[in-house]
Amino acid sequence: MLPSIASAKKNAWPIHHDHCFMRVILDNIVGCAWYEVIPSPAYNNLTDEQASAALNLARQIATENVSLHVLNQRSKQWRNKQLKLEF
């Protein structure tokens, strides 16, 4: 659902693909790169609490009750990725 919403936003959201949404959601529910806490594949190894938190965060993203830009930046920082600067 999130990738189709992102497509409709005409590049207003910083990410557009399923795997990117999974990265951002999972990283933000555990507070670090998800694979440091959750064995792969994550969808088979989430606790009930983590699955519920992931669903809740996905709903908040879909309704824009949280900043996807902030969530994505946090995820990148936890992974030590170079942040994209826009001028």
Side-chain angles (χ1 to χ4, degrees), residues 27-76:
D27 286 0
N28 277 276
I29 65 167
V30 298
C32 61
W34 67 264
Y35 48 76
E36 294 176 9
V37 177
I38 303 167
S40 188
Y43 61 86
N44 279 342
N45 293 298
L46 292 173
T47 65
D48 289 342
E49 183 178 280
Q50 290 167 332
S52 179
L55 180 57
N56 184 45
L57 186 53
R59 287 179 175 151
Q60 289 179 42
I61 292 169
T63 57
E64 297 185 278
N65 287 324
V66 294
S67 171
L68 184 55
H69 292 276
V70 170
L71 297 174
N72 188 44
Q73 293 297 359
R74 278 188 205 150
S75 175
K76 287 180 177 182

Side-chain angles (χ1 to χ4, degrees), residues 73 76 82-87:
Q73 293 297 359
K76 287 180 177 182
Q82 178 67 34
L83 301 179
K84 181 180 175 183
L85 299 176
E86 295 187 30
F87 298 92

